Amino acid sequence: MTYRSGNGRRIKATETTFAIVETLAEHECARLSDIADEVGIANSTASEHLSTLQDHGYVVEEENGYRLGLRFMDTGTQAKRYYDGLLTASKPVLEQLVNDTGETVNLVTRENDMAVYVDRLFGNRGVPTDSWVGKRRPLHMLSAGKAILAQLPEDELDDILDRQELAAASDHTITARDDLKQELETIREEGISFNDRESHKQIRAVGTAIVLEDGVHGAVSVAGPAKRFTGSYYREEIPNLLLGAVNEIELKLTYQ
């Protein structure tokens, strides 16, 4: 699934390079022919792109194929520095939230119309999922993503929805624009959003946005197994803890 936010002309060779990178990201190691087949290009074309990436340190050739190089770790660390202020203000608060809940706590921001995890902490009851720091997910699938969308001006929200289809990750994902906008109105009024098995059929989550005078800076969510996230624990206890934590982050960002 491709999610686009840019309106400029697209360069085919660059798209091919990134398709190769994304293919390698999905596999621990892959042979040239398998990469070419998955991207839909000739072996010779794949070889040229891989050689260029290897020369720049972004790809490593092993005996059993190609893998991503640690150069991506360097560039990823540099990219993350943009959020140093948010991370610094949030870290102790998120740690306390993990201690209070024992669950998985996520710090999410919006970038290029996608939700991106910039920090994740796991409590003693936290469960691993298919997300990690740097993972990009559609905003409408996540409690944190919906919390962010709910705080955007109406015209900005419409622009995002015009650029993206509301893809489904489960039978519970909201895929109708009117239904999503109705839920966002409720989130805007209550300050809390819920992910009821919308991004994963066995996960529920609660989210709220980090909002300052200059706009939305991100969102925090608490996630856990759907069978445990039920009743007042899911609908009241976690939301109350979350609202207090995010209010503290907002104050830290305001006066840091």
Side-chain angles (χ1 to χ4, degrees), residues 91-103:
K91 195 70 171 183
V93 182
L94 301 184
E95 289 174 347
Q96 184 61 52
L97 189 57
V98 167
N99 289 335
D100 291 341
T101 64
E103 306 289 359

Side-chain angles (χ1 to χ4, degrees), residues 5-253:
S5 59
N7 298 313
R9 297 177 61 185
R10 302 164 70 87
I11 300 172
K12 180 63 177 175
T14 304
E15 288 191 328
T16 299
T17 296
F18 282 113
I20 290 172
V21 168
E22 290 169 0
T23 297
L24 289 175
E26 295 173 0
H27 304 281
E28 184 175 341
C29 199
R31 296 188 180 278
L32 172 63
S33 57
D34 294 330
I35 296 169
D37 287 344
E38 193 159 332
V39 176
I41 56 178
N43 283 3
S44 58
T45 303
S47 179
E48 291 173 352
H49 283 272
L50 287 164
S51 294
T52 303
L53 286 165
Q54 188 174 354
D55 288 345
H56 288 275
Y58 289 100
V59 163
V60 176
E61 184 177 7
E62 306 281 10
E63 288 185 3
N64 58 337
Y66 294 87
R67 64 171 175 83
L68 294 181
L70 293 178
R71 182 71 181 273
F72 280 106
M73 184 181 293
D74 179 27
T75 54
T77 300
Q78 299 301 320
K80 194 175 178 182
R81 286 182 178 175
Y82 180 80
Y83 298 100
D84 275 354
L86 177 62
L87 288 163
T88 299
S90 301
K91 195 70 171 183
V93 182
L94 301 184
E95 289 174 347
Q96 184 61 52
L97 189 57
V98 167
N99 289 335
D100 291 341
T101 64
E103 306 289 359
T104 301
V105 174
N106 306 298
L107 178 62
V108 174
T109 192
R110 168 195 165 205
E111 187 175 83
N112 290 335
D113 294 352
M114 297 287 283
V116 184
Y117 292 86
V118 292
D119 203 1
R120 300 197 83 203
L121 288 77
F122 295 91
N124 55 14
R125 298 198 297 172
V127 294
T129 64
D130 59 347
S131 297
W132 52 84
V133 172
K135 176 75 172 182
R136 294 156 50 88
R137 302 292 298 273
L139 288 157
H140 72 283
M141 291 182 184
L142 306 179
S143 61
K146 289 190 290 184
I148 291 171
L149 287 175
Q151 298 298 327
L152 298 179
E154 193 70 19
D155 56 348
E156 189 173 351
L157 171 62
D158 286 333
D159 286 345
I160 292 173
L161 298 181
D162 287 342
R163 289 191 290 262
Q164 295 187 4
E165 64 174 301
L166 298 178
S170 77
D171 294 339
H172 299 275
T173 310
I174 298 175
T175 56
R177 183 166 175 159
D178 288 344
D179 292 344
L180 176 62
K181 295 192 77 171
Q182 183 176 352
E183 180 163 335
L184 294 180
E185 181 61 33
T186 300
I187 295 169
R188 193 175 298 115
E189 293 172 357
E190 299 180 353
I192 286 288
S193 62
F194 295 94
N195 170 359
D196 188 1
R197 298 163 292 169
E198 296 164 52
S199 58
H200 190 290
K201 63 182 180 181
Q202 295 179 323
I203 297 292
R204 285 192 172 107
V206 184
T208 190
I210 301 168
V211 185
L212 302 182
E213 290 185 359
D214 60 348
V216 188
H217 285 240
V220 177
S221 67
V222 180
K227 290 184 178 180
R228 188 166 72 238
F229 271 50
T230 58
S232 61
Y233 178 67
Y234 175 49
R235 290 289 177 176
E236 297 175 16
E237 185 176 341
I238 293 294
N240 287 336
L241 288 170
L242 188 56
L243 285 169
V246 168
N247 182 240
E248 186 176 344
I249 292 172
E250 290 170 342
L251 288 170
K252 285 177 177 289
L253 286 170

